[in-house]
Every structure is written in structure tokens, then in C-alpha cells.
Amino acid sequence: MAEEQKEKKNVYISLHEAFVKEGIKYTDRKTGEEKSFNVARIPSGTLVDGKDVGGYEFSPLFVNPSRFRGEHWRDIPLLADREVRLQKSVLDAEGKPVLGEDGKRQKETLPIKPEQLKEALSEARKRYAEEQAKDNRSLTERAEGAKEAADSIEKDGGDRPLERENR
């Protein structure tokens, strides 16, 4: 009985809602049935074996509201004995996706153990918190800096619409 519980043990990772898209709808080609899936993106600065895996994505089966971190966080249960396959589109020198012979985007896949991902996210959050603590400016000073930056953008041609990269 104890061995069965060990095998079914889940590893929970928590991500801010900005990194999780839930309930993305699609139509199953075979059945015509409408289904949905979830996508979680790893924040930049998350290091696994010295490699920044920021921007890699995976599709978790379940995404739950966080029980401990607050309303803007999501808990994702992962099976401890099953690797998570992180994927990222391969980009050319201009930053555009590389297409394969079949016309689909080529993907770079990185298998990772759930516990390893959990530790990497935890370390990335610690580094981020330390960097923020080093910024001795008050919130008002930081807001003023952001306002000045926004004003300079407006003066530099703010009437132009922002260009967005097609993905």
C-alpha cells in the first residue's frame, strides 16, 4: 500500500496566472467534438542544469486555483514519476518560427523531472526576490521612473500603433 502511494505521488508547482492559459478551446479533428487544454509557460530566469528554460511551455492536464499563494496563482499537479516535456518553437536569426517539411513549426523539446522543475522555479523566485530587495527605491520613485519612461515613448512618436510580432 505504501509503495502504491509513493508511485502516485504528485509534485505541485505554482505559477502566477500570467504564465498559465486555461481552457483553450479546439475542435477534435477525428470526432468533431469541442475540447480544451491548458498551457503553462516557464518564467525567464528559471535555470535547469545551467540552461535558462524561460519561455518553454507544457500542457498540464489540470490547473487549480492556488490553495496557499492567493487568487492570482495557479497550482499544477504533475506526476512525480513522469517527465514533463517542455517545448519551445525553434526560431531563425530574425526571430521567426522555423517550419518543417510538413509546414508545422519545429519544436525544441526538453524532458525534465517534475521535482527538478519545482526546484528550478523556487530558485528563480528567490533570485528575483533578492534582486527586487536590492532596489532601494520606494514604490513612488519606481512609479515615477515608469511614468517618465512612458512619457518619453509618447514624445518619441506615441501616436504610432505598437507593432506586434505574428506568432
Side-chain angles (χ1 to χ4, degrees):
M1 179 87 172
E3 288 180 32
E4 283 182 32
Q5 288 178 347
K6 244 185 188 178
E7 290 178 21
K8 293 185 179 183
K9 181 182 173 195
N10 287 336
V11 172
Y12 289 87
I13 63 169
S14 295
L15 291 171
H16 190 271
E17 67 186 357
F19 296 100
V20 180
K21 292 182 184 176
E22 300 176 68
I24 300 169
K25 304 251 187 254
Y26 71 98
T27 303
D28 188 324
R29 290 183 186 178
K30 292 180 183 175
T31 65
E33 181 182 351
E34 188 170 293
K35 296 183 177 183
S36 66
F37 66 99
N38 305 307
V39 174
R41 180 176 291 214
I42 306 300
S44 59
T46 305
L47 302 175
V48 175
D49 296 332
K51 179 180 181 176
D52 187 353
V53 294
Y56 279 80
E57 297 177 332
F58 67 100
S59 295
L61 190 55
F62 299 105
V63 174
N64 305 314
S66 181
R67 295 176 61 191
F68 304 107
R69 289 193 171 258
E71 66 179 290
H72 297 293
W73 288 81
R74 302 294 179 261
D75 289 340
I76 300 172
L78 302 171
L79 293 174
D81 60 344
R82 191 177 269 178
E83 288 184 332
V84 177
R85 295 175 52 91
L86 301 179
Q87 291 190 328
K88 186 176 190 178
S89 290
V90 176
L91 304 176
D92 63 12
E94 297 172 0
K96 295 180 182 177
V98 175
L99 301 179
E101 292 177 14
D102 57 359
K104 294 182 180 179
R105 289 183 178 189
Q106 289 186 348
K107 300 276 187 176
E108 181 181 339
T109 303
L110 180 67
I112 183 173
K113 294 179 182 173
E115 191 62 41
Q116 195 177 11
L117 179 59
K118 181 178 181 174
E119 289 173 21
L121 287 167
S122 177
E123 289 298 318
R125 279 192 204 105
K126 286 178 188 174
R127 281 192 308 276
Y128 177 78
E130 289 169 0
E131 288 172 12
Q132 294 303 309
K134 289 179 184 175
D135 189 353
N136 294 328
R137 298 179 300 162
S138 70
L139 185 57
T140 304
E141 291 170 330
R142 286 188 260 172
E144 286 172 0
K147 186 175 183 324
E148 288 172 12
D151 289 344
S152 70
I153 291 172
E154 280 183 26
K155 290 176 187 173
D156 191 33
D159 57 339
R160 293 179 297 175
L162 293 175
E163 295 179 26
R164 295 188 65 173
E165 179 184 326
N166 293 333
R167 293 183 182 203

